[in-house]
Amino acid sequence: MIRLLNQYSVANALECGFSMVKSFPSSGASSTLTDDAERNKLLAEMAEQSTDMISRHTPDDWRFIYVSPAVTHLLGYQVEEIIGVSAYDLYHPDDVEDFKRRSPSVSYERGLYTHSYRFRRKDGRYTWLESTSRSIRHPDTGELKEILVVSRDASRRIETEQANHRLARVLECTSDLVVFVTPEQRISHLNEAARQTLSLESAKLEQLQLASLLVPSSFERLIQQGFPAVTSGQVWTQELEMQGPNNTAIPVLLELLAHRAFQGQLEYFSLVARDLTEAKQAQAELKRYQTEINHASRLITMGELASSLAHELNQPLTAIVNYARGLQRRFAGREQLTWREIEVPLEKMASTAMRAGNIIHRMMDFTRKQEPQKCSINLSDVVDDLIEFCAENADKHHVKVENHIHNAALNLWVDRIQLEQILLNLMMNGIEACSHQGNADDRVRLVQITAQEQSDKRVEIKVTDQGSGLSTALPEQVFEQFFTTKPKGLGMGLAISRSLVESNGGELIASNNHTGGACFCFTLALAPT
C-alpha cells in the first residue's frame, strides 16, 4: 500500500487539491463532505508515510505550519522543532533572492511551482531539495490561505548535473577533437575544437556520418579494428588521419571508447583525437636539423683527416708521375714502341689512378648529405676500409688500429654512411687518446675493434684504446653536446654518434678498461638472413 502511495504523482496530488488543513467547502451535499474527508484521510496517511517531505506554509513568511515525518530523514529536524520556523531562514543565502524573484531556477506549470535550492540541515550543512508547491485559496473569496509543498532530496541529481556541466565546459574548452557517434555511425556531437579544425561550423549534425570525418584508409581501420576492439571491452588508440578543409589530411592520435547504459546496452561511442600536425612538423624539422648536424660532423671529421687524405692521394699521384717520367726517360727519342714495352707501366698507372679515384669517391660518399638507407653491411669490411682511411693519421700519432672481428661474415642491418661515421668518430677519439698518453717508452699503442654476436639478433661492437681513459667520473657526461676535453674540440662527435646508434635501435655506452684506456660499446641489429 505504501509503495502505491509513494508512486502517486506529486503533481497529481497537488492537482487534486491535496491539503492537510480543514477544507473550505461550499454548500454541497453531505456525501461530498464524506468523500472529501475520506480523500483527505487517505492523503494524510500518504503524507505521514512518504519519503518525500510534505509541508504547509503561511503565505507571507513561509513559516512551517505542518511538516511530515520525512523532515527528520531529509533535514535532521524533529517535526516539533521546525514548526513555526520560516523557510527563508533555512534557505542558502544565495538561493533566497532567486526564489523571491522567481529566477529561471523556478519553473511554473498549471499552477505548480518547481524549484531546486539548498536548505540548511540541523547539523548546519546544506542539502539540495527539489520542491513542488501550490497555493491554497478560499474557494469563495480567493484569499490565499497557505502554501502546500512536496520536497525531495535532489543532491545526487544536482551534483550529477553540476559534474556533467563541468565536464561539458572542459569538453568545449579542450584543444582535442571530441566526437560522439551513435552505434549507427551518425555524428551526435562535435566539440568546438572539432568543428573549427575540420571546418564544420555550419554543418548540421543530422547530416554528418563518421565516414565524412576521416580519410578512407583511416575510416577502414576504424571500422575493421577500432569498433570491434572497444565493443569487446578493449582500449583502442591509433594514429589516423582526419579529413581537413580542402581535402587536406590531418594526422591525429585517436582514442576510441565505447559507452554503455546502466543496463549494459551500447549507447554511443566517443572519439578523442589529438591533432599531431605541429608535432609531426616538429619531428620533421628535428630530423632535418639532425641530418644537417650529422652532415656538419662528417665535414669536421674530414677536416681533421685532411692531412691523411692529402697523404693518401699524394702517394698514388706521385706513383703515376713517376711511372710517366720513367716512360719518358726510357723511351725518349724513340719513334716506335711496342705494346709489350709499355703494357706494365700503363697498367700500373691505371690501377694507381683507380686507387686515387676510390679514395676520392669514398671521401665524397662519406661527406654527402643523404637520407639513411639501411641494408646488409659487412662489418669487417667497413672496419678494414676505415683502418686504411685513417692509417696515416694513426701512424703520425704512433698508434696502430687493429681489426679483431673474428667472424668475417658478420653483417649488420644499418645505413653504411651512419655506421662509418660512428666507427670513425670512435676510432679517431681512440687514436687521439693514445697520442695524448705520450710515448715516453716509444711503445706503439693500440686501438682495437671487436664484435660479438648476441642472442637477441644484435651485435655488440667495442672500440677500445690504450689511452689515459675517461677524464670524468661520470661516463655519461662525454655524450653531452659541447662537452669536450680536446683544446680545439667541438664536443659534438660522441653526441652525434650516440644519436646515430639510437636512431638504428641501439645503445652506446662508455667505460674505462680495468687495464687502462677507454672502451666505447654499442649494439646494432643483425642483417636478416
Side-chain angles (χ1 to χ4, degrees):
M1 180 64 178
I2 293 175
R3 180 179 300 172
L4 292 174
L5 291 174
N6 284 338
Q7 291 176 345
Y8 193 87
S9 166
V10 171
N12 287 339
L14 295 178
E15 283 287 343
C16 291
F18 177 29
S19 176
M20 302 301 115
V21 298
K22 179 188 283 187
S23 303
F24 300 100
S26 59
S27 56
S30 59
S31 61
T32 303
L33 292 174
T34 302
D35 291 343
D36 287 345
E38 289 296 327
R39 182 185 63 188
N40 287 342
K41 179 181 178 181
L42 178 63
L43 293 176
E45 291 177 356
M46 171 182 163
E48 292 296 312
Q49 300 179 55
S50 174
T51 56
D52 291 343
M53 183 179 75
I54 301 174
S55 57
R56 293 161 44 207
H57 301 264
T58 59
D60 49 357
D61 55 3
W62 279 72
R63 294 190 179 277
F64 284 88
I65 55 178
Y66 167 84
V67 66
S68 66
V71 68
T72 303
H73 170 69
L74 287 181
L75 302 176
Y77 298 99
Q78 298 298 318
V79 172
E80 57 273 12
E81 291 179 305
I82 205 168
I83 297 299
V85 176
S86 172
Y88 288 133
D89 294 337
L90 300 180
Y91 271 115
H92 190 284
D94 295 342
D95 297 338
V96 175
E97 291 303 318
D98 285 348
F99 180 70
K100 289 181 177 179
R101 293 194 306 266
R102 295 295 190 266
S103 71
S105 64
V106 182
S107 61
Y108 175 80
E109 184 179 0
R110 296 186 301 169
L112 303 178
Y113 287 98
T114 300
H115 182 208
S116 296
Y117 55 94
R118 287 162 289 183
F119 220 55
R120 190 173 73 243
R121 293 169 48 88
K122 185 177 180 180
D123 59 12
R125 295 183 295 113
Y126 285 90
T127 189
W128 281 98
L129 296 180
E130 182 181 73
S131 296
T132 301
S133 60
R134 178 169 183 170
S135 302
I136 304 298
R137 298 180 180 274
H138 193 285
D140 294 330
T141 64
E143 178 187 1
L144 181 59
K145 305 299 291 183
E146 61 182 59
I147 309 296
L148 183 62
V149 182
V150 179
S151 306
R152 63 183 56 189
D153 188 351
S155 299
R156 181 171 297 180
R157 177 180 63 81
I158 297 296
E159 290 170 359
T160 301
E161 290 176 354
Q162 290 177 338
N164 289 339
H165 184 60
R166 288 192 294 269
L167 290 175
R169 289 203 304 269
V170 172
L171 184 71
E172 289 303 314
C173 293
T174 181
S175 59
D176 290 342
L177 286 62
V178 182
V179 183
F180 291 161
V181 183
T182 67
E184 297 77 29
Q185 298 174 20
R186 183 178 61 81
I187 306 300
S188 60
H189 179 78
L190 292 163
N191 74 338
E192 182 66 20
R195 291 192 296 272
Q196 289 187 0
T197 303
L198 304 178
S199 295
L200 297 171
E201 292 90 341
S202 59
K204 295 182 179 179
L205 289 182
E206 60 269 16
Q207 298 176 354
L208 285 177
Q209 291 289 328
L210 180 59
S212 65
L213 301 189
L214 293 106
V215 300
S217 58
S218 293
F219 177 71
E220 193 68 23
R221 285 177 61 191
L222 191 65
I223 294 299
Q224 294 183 356
Q225 302 175 21
F227 284 113
V230 299
T231 303
S232 63
Q234 301 177 40
V235 177
W236 196 78
T237 303
Q238 292 287 328
E239 283 193 18
L240 300 178
E241 290 182 325
M242 300 191 77
Q243 191 69 59
N246 301 321
N247 292 324
T248 58
I250 301 175
V252 297
L253 180 64
L254 186 143
E255 181 177 9
L256 179 66
L257 299 172
H259 302 269
R260 299 184 179 275
F262 289 114
Q263 295 78 12
Q265 70 269 27
L266 181 63
E267 196 170 12
Y268 66 97
F269 297 97
S270 66
L271 289 76
V272 181
R274 175 156 298 178
D275 190 345
L276 298 179
T277 301
E278 291 185 1
K280 293 289 186 182
Q281 290 173 348
Q283 289 177 1
E285 183 65 20
L286 180 61
K287 184 178 179 181
R288 186 194 66 79
Y289 172 75
Q290 188 65 52
T291 300
E292 294 289 345
I293 291 295
N294 293 344
H295 181 227
S297 174
R298 290 196 293 273
L299 293 177
I300 291 171
T301 303
M302 291 308 302
E304 294 175 351
L305 290 172
S307 61
S308 299
L309 290 172
H311 179 80
E312 283 197 65
L313 289 173
N314 185 60
Q315 287 179 332
L317 290 176
T318 300
I320 293 173
V321 171
N322 289 337
Y323 284 128
R325 286 179 177 174
L327 289 174
Q328 287 178 333
R329 288 194 301 270
R330 183 176 178 182
F331 301 111
R334 291 180 56 176
E335 295 182 359
Q336 293 184 350
L337 298 175
T338 64
W339 172 247
R340 181 175 297 178
E341 291 176 313
I342 61 174
E343 179 181 6
V344 173
L346 288 179
E347 287 180 350
K348 289 185 177 181
M349 290 173 65
S351 63
T352 305
M354 289 294 294
R355 185 160 66 89
N358 287 335
I359 293 173
I360 295 173
H361 284 305
R362 186 170 57 192
M363 179 180 65
M364 293 175 63
D365 287 341
F366 183 74
T367 57
R368 185 178 295 116
K369 183 170 61 177
Q370 60 186 22
E371 288 295 316
Q373 296 178 350
K374 290 186 179 182
C375 59
S376 180
I377 301 295
N378 184 271
L379 176 60
S380 187
D381 289 347
V382 172
V383 170
D384 286 340
D385 287 345
L386 292 177
I387 290 175
E388 181 181 354
F389 194 56
C390 60
E392 172 64 20
N393 196 52
D395 290 341
K396 182 174 66 177
H397 291 92
H398 213 53
V399 176
K400 185 176 182 180
V401 184
E402 296 180 339
N403 181 352
H404 282 242
I405 300 174
H406 301 298
N407 184 358
L410 204 57
N411 291 334
L412 303 180
W413 187 250
V414 67
D415 177 79
R416 182 184 181 94
I417 299 299
Q418 290 184 345
L419 177 61
E420 288 180 345
Q421 185 169 1
I422 296 166
L423 286 170
L424 190 57
N425 277 336
L426 299 180
M427 290 163 62
M428 289 293 294
N429 282 348
I431 292 171
E432 292 187 11
C434 289
S435 66
H436 292 159
Q437 178 74 358
N439 288 311
D441 55 1
D442 203 32
R443 177 168 61 93
V444 174
R445 301 190 183 275
L446 300 178
V447 174
Q448 298 178 328
I449 298 92
T450 61
Q452 181 66 44
E453 186 174 349
Q454 297 181 313
S455 58
D456 57 353
K457 295 185 178 180
R458 304 187 71 78
V459 177
E460 181 184 71
I461 305 163
K462 291 183 179 180
V463 179
T464 59
D465 62 61
Q466 294 180 336
S468 57
L470 302 177
S471 60
T472 173
L474 300 174
E476 284 295 302
Q477 191 176 13
V478 301
F479 296 108
E480 294 178 3
Q481 292 185 3
F482 309 116
F483 175 84
T484 181
T485 58
K486 303 176 184 178
K488 298 182 180 180
L490 296 178
M492 292 297 294
L494 288 177
I496 291 173
S497 294
R498 170 171 275 191
S499 70
L500 292 175
V501 171
E502 290 177 348
S503 70
N504 283 276
E507 181 183 16
L508 173 60
I509 58 175
S511 62
N512 280 317
N513 294 319
H514 66 279
T515 57
C519 174
F520 288 86
C521 174
F522 64 98
T523 57
L524 292 174
L526 270 172
T529 55

